[in-house]
Each structure stands twice: as C-alpha cells, then as structure tokens.
Short mmCIF file of all heavy atoms in Angstrom, two decimals:
data_model
loop_
_atom_site.label_atom_id
_atom_site.label_comp_id
_atom_site.label_asym_id
_atom_site.label_seq_id
_atom_site.Cartn_x
_atom_site.Cartn_y
_atom_site.Cartn_z
N ILE U 1 168.72 112.62 -11.96
CA ILE U 1 167.95 113.72 -11.35
C ILE U 1 168.47 114.98 -11.69
O ILE U 1 167.72 115.96 -12.01
CB ILE U 1 167.86 113.46 -9.88
CG1 ILE U 1 167.03 112.08 -9.62
CG2 ILE U 1 167.08 114.62 -9.19
CD1 ILE U 1 167.07 111.67 -8.07
N GLU U 2 169.84 115.20 -11.60
CA GLU U 2 170.46 116.38 -11.95
C GLU U 2 170.25 116.77 -13.40
O GLU U 2 169.97 117.94 -13.80
CB GLU U 2 171.90 116.34 -11.68
CG GLU U 2 172.72 117.56 -12.13
CD GLU U 2 172.38 118.82 -11.42
OE1 GLU U 2 171.84 118.76 -10.30
OE2 GLU U 2 172.63 119.93 -12.03
N ARG U 3 170.28 115.75 -14.35
CA ARG U 3 170.04 116.02 -15.74
C ARG U 3 168.62 116.49 -15.99
O ARG U 3 168.36 117.39 -16.82
CB ARG U 3 170.38 114.75 -16.51
CG ARG U 3 170.44 114.95 -18.07
CD ARG U 3 170.84 113.60 -18.61
NE ARG U 3 170.95 113.69 -20.09
CZ ARG U 3 171.22 112.67 -20.93
NH1 ARG U 3 171.55 111.49 -20.40
NH2 ARG U 3 171.28 112.82 -22.29
N ILE U 4 167.70 115.93 -15.36
CA ILE U 4 166.30 116.25 -15.41
C ILE U 4 166.09 117.72 -15.12
O ILE U 4 165.39 118.49 -15.72
CB ILE U 4 165.35 115.23 -14.69
CG1 ILE U 4 165.37 113.90 -15.35
CG2 ILE U 4 163.93 115.79 -14.49
CD1 ILE U 4 164.65 112.81 -14.52
N ASN U 5 166.65 118.10 -13.83
CA ASN U 5 166.44 119.39 -13.36
C ASN U 5 167.17 120.39 -14.23
O ASN U 5 166.59 121.51 -14.52
CB ASN U 5 166.98 119.46 -11.95
CG ASN U 5 166.21 118.62 -10.95
OD1 ASN U 5 165.00 118.32 -11.19
ND2 ASN U 5 166.72 118.16 -9.83
N HIS U 6 168.47 120.10 -14.72
CA HIS U 6 169.19 120.97 -15.43
C HIS U 6 168.47 121.33 -16.83
O HIS U 6 168.50 122.52 -17.21
CB HIS U 6 170.57 120.43 -15.68
CG HIS U 6 171.47 121.34 -16.48
ND1 HIS U 6 171.59 121.27 -17.93
CD2 HIS U 6 172.29 122.32 -16.12
CE1 HIS U 6 172.38 122.24 -18.31
NE2 HIS U 6 172.89 122.81 -17.23
N ASP U 7 167.93 120.36 -17.40
CA ASP U 7 167.23 120.57 -18.72
C ASP U 7 165.88 121.03 -18.63
O ASP U 7 165.17 121.26 -19.62
CB ASP U 7 167.27 119.18 -19.54
CG ASP U 7 168.62 118.71 -19.94
OD1 ASP U 7 169.55 119.52 -19.74
OD2 ASP U 7 168.74 117.59 -20.45
N GLY U 8 165.37 121.14 -17.31
CA GLY U 8 164.01 121.60 -17.11
C GLY U 8 162.92 120.80 -17.74
O GLY U 8 161.85 121.25 -18.25
N LEU U 9 163.13 119.45 -17.71
CA LEU U 9 162.18 118.44 -18.21
C LEU U 9 160.93 118.23 -17.36
O LEU U 9 161.11 118.34 -16.13
CB LEU U 9 162.92 117.13 -18.51
CG LEU U 9 164.03 117.15 -19.44
CD1 LEU U 9 164.71 115.81 -19.49
CD2 LEU U 9 163.65 117.61 -20.77
N PRO U 10 159.80 118.07 -17.88
CA PRO U 10 158.59 117.91 -17.14
C PRO U 10 158.48 116.45 -16.60
O PRO U 10 157.55 115.77 -16.92
CB PRO U 10 157.53 118.25 -18.18
CG PRO U 10 158.02 117.85 -19.48
CD PRO U 10 159.55 118.15 -19.40
N VAL U 11 159.48 115.97 -15.91
CA VAL U 11 159.51 114.62 -15.37
C VAL U 11 159.52 114.67 -13.86
O VAL U 11 160.37 115.38 -13.35
CB VAL U 11 160.83 113.87 -15.98
CG1 VAL U 11 160.82 112.48 -15.29
CG2 VAL U 11 160.82 113.77 -17.42
N ILE U 12 158.52 114.12 -13.25
CA ILE U 12 158.45 114.01 -11.83
C ILE U 12 159.05 112.80 -11.33
O ILE U 12 158.63 111.71 -11.70
CB ILE U 12 156.97 114.14 -11.41
CG1 ILE U 12 156.40 115.50 -11.79
CG2 ILE U 12 156.92 114.09 -9.86
CD1 ILE U 12 154.99 115.64 -11.46
N VAL U 13 160.10 112.90 -10.43
CA VAL U 13 160.77 111.73 -9.95
C VAL U 13 160.07 111.34 -8.64
O VAL U 13 159.94 112.10 -7.73
CB VAL U 13 162.19 112.04 -9.70
CG1 VAL U 13 163.00 110.84 -9.10
CG2 VAL U 13 162.89 112.35 -10.96
N ILE U 14 159.76 110.02 -8.50
CA ILE U 14 159.14 109.50 -7.34
C ILE U 14 160.01 108.51 -6.61
O ILE U 14 160.45 107.54 -7.25
CB ILE U 14 157.80 108.86 -7.68
CG1 ILE U 14 156.81 109.95 -8.43
CG2 ILE U 14 157.06 108.33 -6.43
CD1 ILE U 14 155.81 109.18 -9.28
N GLU U 15 160.44 108.79 -5.36
CA GLU U 15 161.40 107.89 -4.66
C GLU U 15 160.88 107.44 -3.34
O GLU U 15 160.91 108.20 -2.44
CB GLU U 15 162.66 108.58 -4.55
CG GLU U 15 163.47 108.88 -5.83
CD GLU U 15 164.84 109.56 -5.52
OE1 GLU U 15 164.91 110.69 -5.37
OE2 GLU U 15 165.78 108.82 -5.73
N PRO U 16 160.26 106.27 -3.27
CA PRO U 16 159.82 105.84 -1.92
C PRO U 16 160.94 105.72 -1.01
O PRO U 16 162.10 105.37 -1.26
CB PRO U 16 159.22 104.42 -2.23
CG PRO U 16 159.07 104.40 -3.75
CD PRO U 16 160.06 105.25 -4.30
N TYR U 17 160.71 106.04 0.34
CA TYR U 17 161.71 105.85 1.33
C TYR U 17 161.97 104.38 1.60
O TYR U 17 161.07 103.67 1.79
CB TYR U 17 161.34 106.61 2.63
CG TYR U 17 161.48 108.16 2.45
CD1 TYR U 17 160.43 109.02 2.08
CD2 TYR U 17 162.71 108.78 2.66
CE1 TYR U 17 160.64 110.34 2.00
CE2 TYR U 17 162.93 110.08 2.60
CZ TYR U 17 161.88 110.93 2.17
OH TYR U 17 162.04 112.19 2.05
N ILE U 18 163.29 104.08 1.67
CA ILE U 18 163.58 102.62 1.81
C ILE U 18 164.38 102.39 3.01
O ILE U 18 165.00 101.29 3.11
CB ILE U 18 164.48 102.23 0.56
CG1 ILE U 18 165.57 103.24 0.34
CG2 ILE U 18 163.60 102.22 -0.65
CD1 ILE U 18 166.84 102.69 -0.20
N ILE U 19 164.42 103.31 4.00
CA ILE U 19 165.09 103.16 5.23
C ILE U 19 164.58 101.93 5.92
O ILE U 19 163.38 101.77 6.12
CB ILE U 19 165.05 104.36 6.14
CG1 ILE U 19 165.69 105.53 5.47
CG2 ILE U 19 165.68 104.12 7.48
CD1 ILE U 19 165.62 106.87 6.13
N ALA U 20 165.42 101.02 6.34
CA ALA U 20 164.99 99.76 7.09
C ALA U 20 164.27 98.77 6.19
O ALA U 20 163.73 97.88 6.72
CB ALA U 20 164.21 100.16 8.30
N MET U 21 164.39 98.86 4.91
CA MET U 21 163.71 97.95 4.01
C MET U 21 164.37 96.64 3.94
O MET U 21 165.57 96.67 3.81
CB MET U 21 163.50 98.55 2.67
CG MET U 21 162.73 97.62 1.68
SD MET U 21 162.54 98.41 0.03
CE MET U 21 164.19 98.27 -0.66
N GLU U 22 163.66 95.58 4.14
CA GLU U 22 164.26 94.21 3.97
C GLU U 22 163.33 93.41 3.11
O GLU U 22 162.22 93.82 2.82
CB GLU U 22 164.38 93.55 5.38
CG GLU U 22 165.46 94.25 6.27
CD GLU U 22 166.86 94.04 5.75
OE1 GLU U 22 167.01 93.22 4.86
OE2 GLU U 22 167.80 94.69 6.35
N ASP U 23 163.75 92.25 2.69
CA ASP U 23 162.93 91.47 1.79
C ASP U 23 162.00 90.49 2.42
O ASP U 23 161.18 89.81 1.80
CB ASP U 23 163.84 90.64 0.73
CG ASP U 23 164.71 89.66 1.44
OD1 ASP U 23 164.71 89.61 2.76
OD2 ASP U 23 165.52 88.98 0.84
N ASN U 24 161.98 90.54 3.83
CA ASN U 24 160.98 89.81 4.55
C ASN U 24 160.68 90.53 5.91
O ASN U 24 161.52 91.29 6.37
CB ASN U 24 161.30 88.37 4.86
CG ASN U 24 162.57 88.22 5.65
OD1 ASN U 24 162.46 88.49 6.87
ND2 ASN U 24 163.67 87.71 5.08
N ASP U 25 159.52 90.32 6.48
CA ASP U 25 159.07 91.05 7.64
C ASP U 25 159.79 90.59 8.95
O ASP U 25 159.63 91.20 9.97
CB ASP U 25 157.61 90.92 7.84
CG ASP U 25 156.88 91.73 6.82
OD1 ASP U 25 157.20 92.89 6.55
OD2 ASP U 25 155.83 91.21 6.23
N LEU U 26 160.54 89.57 8.86
CA LEU U 26 161.35 89.06 10.03
C LEU U 26 162.52 89.96 10.28
O LEU U 26 163.00 90.12 11.47
CB LEU U 26 161.68 87.60 9.82
CG LEU U 26 160.55 86.57 9.76
CD1 LEU U 26 161.15 85.18 9.59
CD2 LEU U 26 159.76 86.53 11.07
N LYS U 27 163.18 90.41 9.20
CA LYS U 27 164.42 91.23 9.32
C LYS U 27 164.11 92.70 9.36
O LYS U 27 165.04 93.49 9.84
CB LYS U 27 165.32 90.88 8.15
CG LYS U 27 165.85 89.43 8.06
CD LYS U 27 166.85 89.28 7.10
CE LYS U 27 166.29 89.32 5.67
NZ LYS U 27 167.38 89.02 4.63
N GLY U 28 163.01 93.12 8.88
CA GLY U 28 162.68 94.62 8.85
C GLY U 28 161.36 94.78 8.19
O GLY U 28 160.48 93.89 8.19
N LYS U 29 161.17 95.96 7.62
CA LYS U 29 159.90 96.35 6.97
C LYS U 29 160.00 96.09 5.48
O LYS U 29 160.94 96.54 4.83
CB LYS U 29 159.47 97.77 7.25
CG LYS U 29 159.17 98.05 8.68
CD LYS U 29 157.88 97.33 9.12
CE LYS U 29 157.49 97.72 10.55
NZ LYS U 29 156.27 97.06 10.94
N THR U 30 159.10 95.34 4.88
CA THR U 30 159.15 95.12 3.48
C THR U 30 158.41 96.34 2.75
O THR U 30 157.46 96.97 3.40
CB THR U 30 158.42 93.81 3.05
OG1 THR U 30 157.09 93.83 3.60
CG2 THR U 30 159.18 92.65 3.60
N LEU U 31 158.81 96.64 1.55
CA LEU U 31 158.20 97.69 0.79
C LEU U 31 157.10 96.97 -0.02
O LEU U 31 157.39 96.20 -1.00
CB LEU U 31 159.14 98.36 -0.17
CG LEU U 31 158.66 99.60 -0.95
CD1 LEU U 31 158.26 100.69 0.01
CD2 LEU U 31 159.66 100.02 -1.96
N LYS U 32 155.84 97.28 0.21
CA LYS U 32 154.70 96.72 -0.44
C LYS U 32 154.09 97.59 -1.47
O LYS U 32 154.37 98.81 -1.45
CB LYS U 32 153.66 96.30 0.58
CG LYS U 32 154.10 95.23 1.60
CD LYS U 32 153.01 94.87 2.53
CE LYS U 32 153.38 93.65 3.42
NZ LYS U 32 154.53 93.88 4.27
N ALA U 33 153.27 97.02 -2.24
CA ALA U 33 152.60 97.80 -3.39
C ALA U 33 151.79 99.00 -2.73
O ALA U 33 151.81 100.14 -3.41
CB ALA U 33 151.73 96.93 -4.16
N ALA U 34 151.21 98.80 -1.61
CA ALA U 34 150.42 99.95 -0.96
C ALA U 34 151.33 101.05 -0.59
O ALA U 34 150.96 102.24 -0.74
CB ALA U 34 149.75 99.36 0.25
N HIS U 35 152.63 100.76 -0.13
CA HIS U 35 153.47 101.88 0.20
C HIS U 35 153.99 102.63 -1.03
O HIS U 35 154.12 103.82 -0.97
CB HIS U 35 154.79 101.21 0.89
CG HIS U 35 154.46 100.46 2.12
ND1 HIS U 35 154.99 99.31 2.50
CD2 HIS U 35 153.47 100.71 3.11
CE1 HIS U 35 154.48 98.83 3.67
NE2 HIS U 35 153.59 99.66 4.04
N ILE U 36 154.19 101.84 -2.18
CA ILE U 36 154.58 102.51 -3.40
C ILE U 36 153.44 103.45 -3.91
O ILE U 36 153.66 104.57 -4.27
CB ILE U 36 154.96 101.49 -4.47
CG1 ILE U 36 156.13 100.69 -4.03
CG2 ILE U 36 155.15 102.14 -5.83
CD1 ILE U 36 156.49 99.50 -4.95
N ALA U 37 152.22 102.98 -3.83
CA ALA U 37 151.05 103.76 -4.12
C ALA U 37 150.98 105.03 -3.30
O ALA U 37 150.75 106.14 -3.85
CB ALA U 37 149.76 102.94 -4.12
N GLU U 38 151.16 104.96 -2.03
CA GLU U 38 151.15 106.02 -1.15
C GLU U 38 152.28 107.09 -1.49
O GLU U 38 151.97 108.28 -1.45
CB GLU U 38 151.36 105.52 0.29
CG GLU U 38 151.31 106.66 1.32
CD GLU U 38 151.46 106.17 2.71
OE1 GLU U 38 151.59 104.88 2.97
OE2 GLU U 38 151.53 106.91 3.67
N SER U 39 153.49 106.54 -1.80
CA SER U 39 154.54 107.42 -2.20
C SER U 39 154.17 108.19 -3.44
O SER U 39 154.48 109.50 -3.55
CB SER U 39 155.83 106.64 -2.36
OG SER U 39 156.90 107.50 -2.80
N ILE U 40 153.57 107.57 -4.46
CA ILE U 40 153.21 108.24 -5.70
C ILE U 40 152.16 109.31 -5.55
O ILE U 40 152.34 110.43 -5.93
CB ILE U 40 152.69 107.16 -6.77
CG1 ILE U 40 153.87 106.23 -7.10
CG2 ILE U 40 152.18 107.93 -8.02
CD1 ILE U 40 153.35 105.11 -8.01
N ILE U 41 151.10 108.95 -4.73
CA ILE U 41 150.08 109.95 -4.35
C ILE U 41 150.61 111.13 -3.65
O ILE U 41 150.30 112.27 -3.91
CB ILE U 41 148.95 109.28 -3.58
CG1 ILE U 41 148.24 108.18 -4.49
CG2 ILE U 41 147.87 110.20 -3.11
CD1 ILE U 41 147.39 107.18 -3.73
N ASN U 42 151.48 110.90 -2.58
CA ASN U 42 152.07 111.99 -1.81
C ASN U 42 152.93 112.90 -2.65
O ASN U 42 152.97 114.11 -2.34
CB ASN U 42 152.79 111.44 -0.64
CG ASN U 42 152.01 110.93 0.49
OD1 ASN U 42 150.77 111.33 0.58
ND2 ASN U 42 152.50 109.93 1.27
N THR U 43 153.60 112.28 -3.65
CA THR U 43 154.49 113.14 -4.43
C THR U 43 153.56 113.98 -5.51
O THR U 43 153.92 115.20 -5.72
CB THR U 43 155.46 112.27 -5.25
OG1 THR U 43 156.20 111.47 -4.38
CG2 THR U 43 156.32 113.13 -6.18
N LEU U 44 152.61 113.41 -6.10
CA LEU U 44 151.83 114.08 -7.20
C LEU U 44 150.72 114.94 -6.60
O LEU U 44 150.35 115.94 -7.19
CB LEU U 44 151.26 113.09 -8.06
CG LEU U 44 152.34 112.21 -8.89
CD1 LEU U 44 151.58 111.32 -9.88
CD2 LEU U 44 153.35 113.03 -9.52
N ALA U 45 150.16 114.53 -5.45
CA ALA U 45 149.01 115.20 -4.86
C ALA U 45 149.27 115.40 -3.36
O ALA U 45 148.54 114.77 -2.63
CB ALA U 45 147.67 114.61 -5.23
N PRO U 46 150.15 116.23 -2.91
CA PRO U 46 150.61 116.20 -1.57
C PRO U 46 149.47 116.76 -0.60
O PRO U 46 149.51 116.55 0.58
CB PRO U 46 151.81 117.15 -1.56
CG PRO U 46 151.66 117.99 -2.76
CD PRO U 46 151.08 117.08 -3.80
N LEU U 47 148.49 117.43 -1.13
CA LEU U 47 147.37 118.00 -0.31
C LEU U 47 146.21 117.00 -0.14
O LEU U 47 145.42 117.19 0.72
CB LEU U 47 146.83 119.24 -0.93
CG LEU U 47 147.87 120.43 -1.11
CD1 LEU U 47 147.18 121.63 -1.69
CD2 LEU U 47 148.51 120.73 0.26
#
C-alpha cells in the first residue's frame, strides 16, 4: 500500500473489514460474497 501511494499509482485498494471473522457461523461471522461486494461498492462509490 505504501508503494502504491508513494508512486502515485492509479490503484484503488479494497480491504473488507475482517474483525470477528470466522470460517463458520457457529464461532463468529463469516465473510460472504455479499459482504465483499458491499465493501467494493462502498470503496468505489461511497455516496
């Protein structure tokens, strides 16, 4: 990320929040495709 910012590259980094993420819903919250899609939309079109 530092290299992208330092070089001024037109690359948008998308990082879904993974706090409390687990691989099944019994231990915590799973990260599903819908959550990833939401993260991409919020990053690229926040309004």
